[in-house]
Amino acid sequence: MTGIILYDTVMCILVFILGAVIGSFLNVVIYRTPVHMSIIKGPSHCFTCGEKIKPYDLVPIFSWIFLGGKCRNCKAKISARYTFVEALTGVMFLAAYIRFSISWLMLIAIILFSILIVLSFIDIDHLEIPYWCTITIALLGIPMLFLEPDLPWIEHLAGALVIAVPFAVLALFGGMGGGDVQLMAAAGFLMGWEIIPSAIIGIVLGAVYGLISKISNSKRDKEKNEQIKNVFNEWIKDRMTSDVSDIVVGEFEKGICKINADIIEEKAWTNPESFKEDCKELETKLTEIAKDMPDNKEFVFRVTAKNGVVEKTKFQQRIAFGPALAVGIAIGVIFGERIISWYLGLL
């Protein structure tokens, strides 16, 4: 009995260390792939002084602690996020080991968890989920067809379709992006029916995060709504016809306003042919009000106007749903069967 406990303890430590080491590499992937940098070439270096980081300063988790979160050479602050990613990856590898032991299922789980971590932080930084992440998750579903014979291929397809359709509807109404839909469809193909609790958990977490963000930014959003309304009211004078309303949508990306001038109700405008050209003037004026907005965030707005007067404006910050959905998927992989069994037991 003591030997078994010792073996499990040693294995847990080794698996966590492996995860932390992989997490260090995931940091490279998270930072470099969105800007099309090689993840193989080019040594790790300080972003402030450019000094190459010594091998003994690349020990996951511990190097950051020993250095006090600062570069050895220039003493510039090093983000704690790198250490967090390393520790998170170690914990997720450990969870995969505890759930599946040493097996092919564990291998698939740690690959999946690694991809979920990468796409989550890329989504946080760039508000996009890379295609290669969702494609890889979908490809992981192929070996699952053979590793889980009790879950036939038709149920894997059903899992993808059952999730993809409602998420696509949410995307149409602006609830989330196309990358989120692709992520859940890929995860549905991988997990089959077990994706259902994952989707519910992900949506709830995303909704809670969205609500918190909305409440905390309510003052700023109210001010921007008023500013956008004033700019539009001045701009649309004599440009709109009577008794016909239209909706103009746009975004602020890196502090620059961009308006979707391709989707308009032509009857609402006196000169629809010049609408795109006229929008350049509007974009310039709206960019002026974005000077105090953080460049690393993206914002969207929607303006409803009629008879040359703005009736309603809606301004809000774009939210990265990828991390919430990734948490839901991870929970589904570890506890999905138990959650479904518990729910069915209530019926």
Side-chain angles (χ1 to χ4, degrees), residues 17-49:
I17 293 174
L18 173 63
V21 172
I22 297 298
S24 182
F25 173 71
L26 296 184
N27 276 317
V28 176
V29 177
I30 291 167
Y31 175 77
R32 296 189 181 187
T33 54
V35 293
H36 307 292
M37 293 175 61
S38 172
I39 60 176
I40 301 175
K41 298 179 181 180
S44 298
H45 60 278
C46 173
F47 296 128
T48 301
C49 66

Side-chain angles (χ1 to χ4, degrees), residues 67 83 108 133 138 280 288 306:
L67 291 171
T83 299
I108 290 177
C133 288
K280 293 180 181 179
E288 287 295 315
K306 185 177 181 180

